[in-house]
């Protein structure tokens, strides 16, 4: 059984993309194309994100739409007493060390690493254009944790996170949730791609692909998130 996807409207001449025929339980839905800003924006608006199919994320680029999808509804974030206490240990900053966050997420010692130099360059350009953002945790003026992702309308599409100190990435996620739910707009969602046991304990749930795409359409109609 094939699953319908919303049409992707690529910038003229930019995409060379092979559409696959995904079944209802496959996550990989297309391959090829480039990482130009217009390509990335069109993809996220269609519910896709890139991750290379070669070793450690090398080309060719795969375009993914997980079935099911890991989603954090901001109002459902679970902040434990220990996490509330941990918040006081760290300073939170936004968009002050974007590329450094990416580089630390891309640490070659990390299991399952997939962030290539090409990905770092592409998302750093998205950051320069105002579409990609980092939420960082600092301790004694040292970057010790953080996350980055793409913000479009009411969607924050989380890409990766890291920590060098215990709870540093959790505090960054808690700070992101504060930003996303600041105006109370219930259309806003945080996409985490796949649910893990760690993220589940923080309130991440799994949605069928169709439900995610329906929620995405609503989120894209919300005002852009404010990171300033």
């Amino acid at each position: 059984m094939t699953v319908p996807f919303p049409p992707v409207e690529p910038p003229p001449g930019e995409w060379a993309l092979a559409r696959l025929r995904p079944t209802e339980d496959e996550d990989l839905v297309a391959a090829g194309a480039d990482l130009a800003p217009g390509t990335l924006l069109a993809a996220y608006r269609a519910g896709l994100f890139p991750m290379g199919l070669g070793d450690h994320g090398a080309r060719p680029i795969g375009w993914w739409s997980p079935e099911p999808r890991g989603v954090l509804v901001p109002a459902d974030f679970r902040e434990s007493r220990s996490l509330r206490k941990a918040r006081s240990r760290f300073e939170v900053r936004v968009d002050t060390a974007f590329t450094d966050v990416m580089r630390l997420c891309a640490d070659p010692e990390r299991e399952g690493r997939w962030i290539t130099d090409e990905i770092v360059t592409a998302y750093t350009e998205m950051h320069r254009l105002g579409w990609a953002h980092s939420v960082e945790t600092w301790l004694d003026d040292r970057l010790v944790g953080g996350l980055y992702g793409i913000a479009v309308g009411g969607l924050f599409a989380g890409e990766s996170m890291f920590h060098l100190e215990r709870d540093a990435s959790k505090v960054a996620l808690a700070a992101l949730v504060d930003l996303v739910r600041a105006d109370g707009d219930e259309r806003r969602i945080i996409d985490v791609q796949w649910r893990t046991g760690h993220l589940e304990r923080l309130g991440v749930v799994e949605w069928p692909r169709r439900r995610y795409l329906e929620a995405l359409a609503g989120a894209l109609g919300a005002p852009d998130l404010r990171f300033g």
Side-chain angles (χ1 to χ4, degrees):
M1 174 182 177
T2 59
V3 177
F5 288 87
V8 176
E9 299 296 339
E14 291 293 321
W15 279 30
L17 182 133
R19 178 71 67 182
L20 307 179
R21 294 180 61 82
T23 64
E24 60 186 6
D25 60 353
E26 289 180 329
D27 296 349
L28 177 65
V29 299
D34 55 45
L35 295 172
T39 303
L40 288 169
L41 284 174
Y44 281 100
R45 287 171 174 147
L48 310 179
F49 59 86
M51 185 181 298
L53 300 177
D55 291 342
H56 306 307
R59 281 179 175 265
I61 299 168
W63 297 91
W64 303 79
S65 178
E67 176 62 276
R69 190 83 165 224
V71 177
L72 177 57
V73 177
D76 294 339
F77 179 65
R78 298 174 190 159
E79 186 171 3
S80 65
R81 181 180 302 174
S82 62
L83 178 52
R84 287 194 296 271
K85 184 177 180 180
R87 285 218 206 197
S88 64
R89 292 183 55 217
F90 301 98
E91 177 189 358
V92 174
R93 304 178 190 174
V94 175
D95 286 342
T96 69
F98 181 86
T99 303
D100 292 334
V101 169
M102 285 204 71
R103 290 292 183 193
L104 287 162
C105 288
D107 182 352
E109 298 300 317
R110 293 183 71 172
E111 183 179 354
R113 62 187 173 93
W114 59 272
I115 301 172
T116 63
D117 288 344
E118 183 182 18
I119 289 281
V120 173
T121 298
Y123 282 74
T124 297
E125 176 63 6
M126 291 291 281
H127 174 63
R128 187 187 71 80
L129 295 172
W131 296 104
H133 301 276
S134 60
V135 180
E136 311 137 14
T137 45
W138 296 75
L139 184 64
D140 299 328
D141 211 33
R142 180 171 67 98
L143 178 62
V144 295
L147 58 85
Y148 78 93
I150 298 290
V152 186
L155 166 72
F156 187 88
E159 286 294 314
S160 189
M161 60 199 308
F162 82 97
H163 69 276
L164 303 179
E165 295 281 345
R166 182 175 179 177
D167 293 328
S169 60
K170 291 181 184 178
V171 170
L173 180 59
L176 172 66
V177 169
D178 290 345
L179 287 168
V180 173
R181 66 184 179 190
D183 67 355
D185 192 325
E186 295 183 356
R187 294 173 292 178
R188 301 189 184 282
I189 55 175
I190 299 172
D191 166 31
V192 303
Q193 301 176 351
W194 288 281
R195 184 183 67 178
T196 64
H198 166 69
L199 291 173
E200 183 178 13
R201 289 189 290 273
L202 294 169
V204 169
V205 296
E206 288 185 331
W207 283 357
R209 179 187 287 139
R210 188 177 297 278
R211 180 178 178 186
Y212 173 76
L213 294 176
E214 290 171 352
L216 173 63
L220 293 176
D224 288 340
L225 289 164
R226 294 182 176 274
F227 287 84

